Amino acid sequence: MPTAPKPATPTITAQQRALLDSLPFSDRQDFEDATRGLVARRTPNAITAADGRVVWDNDTYSFLTGDAPDTVNPSLWRQSQLVAEQGLFEVAEGIYQVRGFDLSNVTFIEGETGVIVLDPLIATETAAAALALYREHRGDRPVTGVIYTHCHVDHFGGVKGVTTQEDVDAGRVPVVAPAEFTEHAVAENVYAGTAMARRAGYMYGAALARGPQGQVGAGLGQTTSTGSVSLVTPTLDITHTGQEETVDGVRMVFQMAPGTEAPAEFLVYFPDHRALCAAEDATHTLHNLLTLRGAVVRDPHAWANYLTETIDLFGADLDVVFASHHWPTWGRDRAVEYLALQRDLYAYLHDQTLRLLNQGFTGAEIAERLELPPVLENAWHARGYYGSVSHNVKAIYQRYMGWYDGNPAHLWQHPPVEQGKRYVEFMGGADAVVEKARASFDAGDFRWVAEVLTHVVFAQPDHAGAKELLADTFEQLGYGAENGTWRSVYLSGATELRDGSFGTPTQTAANDIIAALTPAMLFDAIAIQVDGPRAWDERLTIDVVLTDSGERYRLWLRNGVLTYSAATQAGDADLTLTTTTRALPALALGGVTPDGLADAGIQVDGDAAVLGRLTAVLDPGDPDFAIVTP
């Protein structure tokens, strides 16, 4: 039975009440915008998979009414109330959004013969439910196009809930995406996908109970759905800013923004609607420059410059800005000011971090020193509900300076377990540390308690008192967090300390994503799994022949490394696999046996035992690895 949560301490209660006095809670414009254009809601809003499993239930957030309780930061409570609004909304004539059906929004743009779907959510089930709600109120229009604004799974994973591979292959449904979309979408969910997905379970609080003492929202959206992830590869690449395309009579002008919120991303202007889709480059929160689940550090300098370009390109002819998360902003003056403040936010963080690091301050020190100017501090859409000033500043430092802060003492530190043992011994033993930490807890110094008790837990993971007090500490830090992902991370840590691991609630490395791997990406994905020490003495060669493309690759396993080349090689390989490009990903889908490959349409010639030798040295990721314990 899950451990019952505990109440907020006086320290957290006082913090919440002080925040109520410091921010403009009387400003209700966002509440008007979040409900403007409401056509209909879905009641009830529990969405199920074919097997009856609930993959999304926005109704579990019905507790988000009234004033914030002491266990939730009042600013985050406000944001969660806004994000939990669900239903079909009219953005502009011919443009509709369904919000509150997943972490992200899906947008429907009506064309001459059907409807274009922009960013079809994470899961096929949630996307299908959103399309059904749209059709219920706007007619049974066929899907005549799909747009992916960028390469994150919450913007493409539900595509097979709104269209089919057959319709795309037949040319009936073009799929529009930024150049290099597929490579980045696949790589993010495969190369480091196991670790990212496990950490995303913490970041989005997907395993937490919903409620005032549990998960209340992730700031960007409420949480992630847990349905079936799909992918249809794009048929039309957007390669440059100013590129214009027309799909089903809908005119679109694209602005490329690579390296901002995603490595492949664009914004879309609809001139006939005077409407701009800002993708995820302007939302009602400070976004992440480095997500807590992990990713490549994003470029805030480029981000700010692209938003300046957005205003220059489209600001004069703009009636509404909408995005792939949150609610729109209407009116030219308001929309341009919104874009400008978002621009200034990323520019300020970038420039001030660089100023301070050039004075010798480290990332952690800058994060404590840097304050936003009052205009940004009091702009609700610039608050840190998803990204935060603290972790974004550290990301900027990392982008320019790396993990090393220049202090020789930090160049070669012990790993956590060895650090923990030594700290605990120096501080007089585990019991003494816990006793001192309890006094710090009572004094409200939760950051310090978390620091010292982590050493105890890593030194003595069975120390019940340390684990209990550390869980209580994480809980209080979560209650106080304005950032939705920080709250989820802290409360997830408390949950696992108390009740054990919850694993990885949402898996994104779906078969469709793996099937989109290019041969080179597939070989890289296999190479990442090679257990180097176990493979030190292994020597083998495999040829891969692709009959549809005429490509031929030679793979070598030697010195614990799997490498490959498309150049012509002398001599015969130990084994030759002959197949098609589409069938090749079976190598990554658990079919690396002669029978499994034959079933997948892969011909095996030569020494079939080579497959077993290769499989024997593969070490797949662990979706249940420990985070708050050794």
Side-chain angles (χ1 to χ4, degrees):
M1 184 175 178
T3 304
K6 297 182 179 179
T9 61
T11 298
I12 295 300
T13 299
Q15 173 198 300
Q16 318 290 44
R17 292 174 182 169
L19 190 66
L20 284 170
D21 296 330
S22 67
L23 291 175
F25 281 91
S26 60
D27 178 2
R28 302 289 293 178
Q29 182 66 56
D30 285 337
F31 288 89
E32 294 178 23
D33 290 343
T35 55
R36 175 172 168 171
L38 176 64
V39 176
R41 302 191 190 277
R42 185 180 191 269
T43 306
N45 196 23
I47 300 170
T48 58
D51 61 4
R53 179 174 56 92
V54 175
V55 301
W56 177 261
D57 189 354
N58 202 70
D59 295 341
T60 58
Y61 293 102
S62 60
F63 64 87
L64 288 165
T65 59
D67 296 334
D70 290 340
T71 53
V72 184
N73 183 292
S75 179
L76 177 60
W77 182 263
R78 175 189 184 278
Q79 178 77 351
S80 295
Q81 288 179 319
L82 290 161
V83 176
E85 291 285 353
Q86 64 91 357
L88 174 69
F89 299 84
E90 183 180 38
V91 175
E93 185 176 357
I95 299 180
Y96 293 81
Q97 279 191 320
V98 171
R99 303 199 286 269
F101 277 46
D102 211 320
L103 181 70
S104 49
N105 303 332
V106 57
T107 304
F108 300 100
I109 304 101
E110 295 176 351
E112 293 176 351
T113 64
V115 63
I116 300 167
V117 180
L118 186 152
D119 284 355
L121 308 181
I122 293 175
T124 58
E125 297 89 347
T126 54
L131 179 59
L133 181 64
Y134 165 81
R135 284 175 168 165
E136 179 183 347
H137 297 279
R138 295 297 300 164
D140 193 14
R141 303 166 188 257
V143 172
T144 50
V146 172
I147 303 171
Y148 305 142
T149 61
H150 59 292
C151 55
H152 292 153
V153 71
D154 52 323
H155 304 274
F156 68 80
V159 62
K160 288 187 177 177
V162 299
T163 192
T164 64
Q165 187 70 58
E166 292 74 18
D167 278 348
V168 174
D169 291 343
R172 292 186 289 270
V173 180
V175 179
V176 184
E180 300 184 356
F181 166 89
T182 302
E183 292 83 349
H184 290 298
V186 171
E188 179 165 297
N189 288 289
V190 175
Y191 288 174
T194 301
M196 285 188 182
R198 170 74 171 119
R199 285 171 49 159
Y202 267 54
M203 177 175 170
Y204 293 110
L208 298 176
R210 312 278 166 81
Q213 290 175 284
Q215 208 267 6
V216 301
L220 189 69
Q222 289 306 84
T223 188
T224 52
S225 62
T226 56
S228 301
V229 174
S230 63
L231 174 64
V232 175
T233 55
T235 61
L236 175 57
D237 286 346
I238 304 303
T239 60
H240 61 276
T241 293
Q243 183 172 340
E244 296 191 30
E245 301 290 343
T246 299
V247 176
D248 192 19
V250 176
R251 296 170 56 217
M252 298 174 283
V253 182
F254 295 91
Q255 179 197 2
M256 302 301 291
T260 54
E261 190 272 335
E265 187 153 3
F266 58 46
L267 289 72
V268 193
Y269 181 63
F270 298 92
D272 295 333
H273 302 79
R274 296 172 59 89
L276 172 71
C277 173
E280 214 162 320
D281 281 353
T283 55
H284 287 268
T285 179
L286 168 60
H287 214 296
N288 283 307
L289 298 178
L290 178 57
T291 73
L292 302 186
R293 64 180 167 82
V296 176
V297 179
R298 298 155 186 175
D299 185 350
H301 183 60
W303 198 324
N305 287 343
Y306 280 123
L307 287 175
T308 296
E309 182 181 59
T310 302
I311 296 169
D312 291 343
L313 288 171
F314 311 121
D317 300 300
L318 194 57
D319 286 341
V320 61
V321 175
F322 65 94
S324 303
H325 296 273
H326 303 143
W327 50 94
T329 300
W330 284 272
R332 179 192 174 278
D333 291 345
R334 286 185 62 216
V336 171
E337 177 67 4
Y338 162 68
L339 292 170
L341 286 177
Q342 286 277 300
R343 182 265 319 277
D344 294 348
L345 178 62
Y346 297 107
Y348 189 90
L349 290 178
H350 173 269
D351 295 350
Q352 295 307 305
T353 300
L354 267 291
R355 178 179 68 84
L356 291 169
L357 75 81
N358 279 317
Q359 294 179 5
F361 293 102
T362 68
E365 290 169 334
I366 298 168
E368 294 296 306
R369 291 175 64 92
L370 195 147
E371 293 183 79
L372 293 177
V375 170
L376 294 177
E377 186 72 19
N378 288 286
W380 286 113
H381 63 83
R383 302 293 300 178
Y385 300 116
Y386 191 55
S388 74
V389 170
S390 178
H391 74 253
N392 279 345
V393 162
K394 294 168 189 171
I396 297 168
Y397 185 93
Q398 177 182 322
R399 180 178 177 87
Y400 284 95
M401 306 300 290
W403 61 269
Y404 175 49
D405 64 4
N407 185 335
H410 301 150
L411 184 59
W412 190 34
Q413 294 175 285
H414 286 292
V417 170
E418 294 305 316
Q419 280 191 11
K421 291 176 180 177
R422 287 161 172 79
Y423 272 109
V424 169
E425 181 183 358
F426 263 60
M427 291 188 287
D431 292 343
V433 176
V434 172
E435 182 178 354
K436 293 174 183 176
R438 198 173 301 280
S440 295
F441 180 94
D442 292 339
D445 194 357
F446 303 121
R447 294 168 70 183
W448 176 243
V449 177
E451 174 75 23
V452 295
L453 287 184
T454 290
H455 291 307
V456 179
V457 169
F458 272 76
Q460 297 184 25
D462 294 329
H463 196 291
K467 291 175 69 175
E468 180 182 359
L469 186 55
L470 183 55
D472 292 349
T473 302
F474 285 160
E475 187 172 60
Q476 294 302 314
L477 287 167
Y479 289 166
E482 181 181 26
N483 184 285
T485 63
W486 282 35
R487 178 184 175 92
S488 292
V489 164
Y490 282 129
L491 296 186
S492 294
T495 296
E496 291 204 332
L497 284 168
R498 290 167 173 167
D499 303 322
S501 174
F502 52 66
T504 299
T506 303
Q507 299 282 351
T508 57
N511 287 356
D512 277 354
I513 293 176
I514 293 173
L517 290 166
T518 64
M521 295 174 75
L522 173 64
F523 303 148
D524 287 339
I526 296 173
I528 290 166
Q529 298 180 51
V530 172
D531 183 334
R534 215 166 8 145
W536 282 344
D537 299 322
E538 186 62 85
R539 297 288 187 275
L540 59 84
T541 56
I542 301 173
D543 277 355
V544 175
V545 180
L546 302 176
T547 57
D548 55 340
S549 66
E551 296 173 282
R552 186 183 186 102
Y553 295 87
R554 170 70 58 87
L555 282 68
W556 298 270
L557 179 63
R558 57 193 298 272
N559 299 323
V561 178
L562 183 71
T563 57
Y564 58 90
S565 173
T568 302
Q569 304 295 324
D572 295 329
D574 300 324
L575 175 71
T576 299
L577 305 178
T578 304
T579 187
T580 63
T581 305
R582 180 162 286 189
L584 184 62
L587 289 173
L589 293 172
V592 190
T593 65
D595 290 343
L597 294 180
D599 292 342
I602 301 177
Q603 178 181 326
V604 179
D605 297 300
D607 183 3
V610 166
L611 293 172
R613 290 161 55 194
L614 175 60
T615 302
V617 297
L618 296 183
D619 183 23
D622 177 7
D624 196 28
F625 62 77
I627 293 179
V628 290
T629 57

